[in-house]
């Protein structure tokens, strides 16, 4: 059973930065697709970013492109989300997700149903 643990959330002023981490254990997820999603109060969970095997192929939602950067460590067990130029609308619970599926499914990887495992989430609050 894969377990994901996020950390790094907190309170920051608009324009500031935070770095989230997600550590995977207990399974083979370290070699596969991992992603970040977020959910604001009263809204559906939405895609933020995905990183594929090897860490060279990444994608972002339009709302964070150019401000957020996803990366993974050399082993592949941990991914990071560097968030710069934060805005109040970035306020949400941020979730890490992974899947046991093999392959490079770009479009599908941007949907919540693609993922088998989820972390507990970490709160990010951006004040104006």
């Amino acid at each position: 059973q894969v377990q994901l643990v996020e950390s790094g959330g907190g309170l920051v002023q608009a324009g500031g930065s935070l770095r989230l981490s997600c550590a995977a254990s207990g399974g083979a997820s370290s070699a596969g697709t991992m992603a970040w999603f977020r959910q604001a109060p009263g809204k559906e969970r939405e895609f933020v970013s995905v990183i594929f095997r090897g860490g060279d192929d990444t994608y972002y939602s339009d709302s964070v492109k150019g401000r957020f950067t996803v990366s993974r460590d050399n082993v592949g067990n941990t991914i990071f989300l560097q968030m710069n130029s934060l805005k109040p609308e970035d306020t949400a619970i941020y979730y890490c997700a992974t899947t046991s599926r093999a392959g490079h499914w770009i479009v599908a990887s941007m949907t919540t149903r693609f993922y088998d495992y989820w972390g507990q989430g970490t709160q990010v609050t951006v004040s104006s």
Side-chain angles (χ1 to χ4, degrees), residues 13-123:
Q13 288 188 333
S17 299
L18 282 174
R19 189 184 193 222
L20 305 183
S21 299
C22 172
S25 63
S29 68
S30 60
T33 303
M34 296 184 74
W36 290 98
F37 286 76
R38 66 186 183 186
Q39 188 166 18
K43 295 188 176 182
E44 291 189 353
R45 194 168 297 188
E46 65 172 7
F47 168 78
V48 174
S49 181
V50 62
I51 185 166
F52 291 96
R53 179 189 295 267
D56 292 332
D57 203 11
T58 59
Y59 295 88
Y60 301 90
S61 68
D62 288 342
S63 61
V64 307
K65 197 174 297 181
R67 300 187 297 122
F68 291 12
T69 302
V70 64
S71 60
R72 67 196 305 166
D73 68 359
N74 290 337
V75 176
N77 287 337
T78 302
I79 65 169
F80 308 94
L81 187 68
Q82 178 66 44
M83 305 186 296
N84 298 329
S85 302
L86 283 161
K87 305 175 182 180
E89 50 265 44
D90 293 319
T91 295
I93 299 175
Y94 284 70
Y95 296 92
C96 175
T98 192
T99 177
S100 56
R101 303 171 198 264
H104 200 92
W105 304 94
I106 296 173
V107 175
S109 70
M110 298 178 184
T111 64
T112 56
R113 62 181 179 271
F114 183 74
Y115 295 93
D116 308 306
Y117 306 101
W118 293 85
Q120 82 289 348
T122 185
Q123 177 71 48

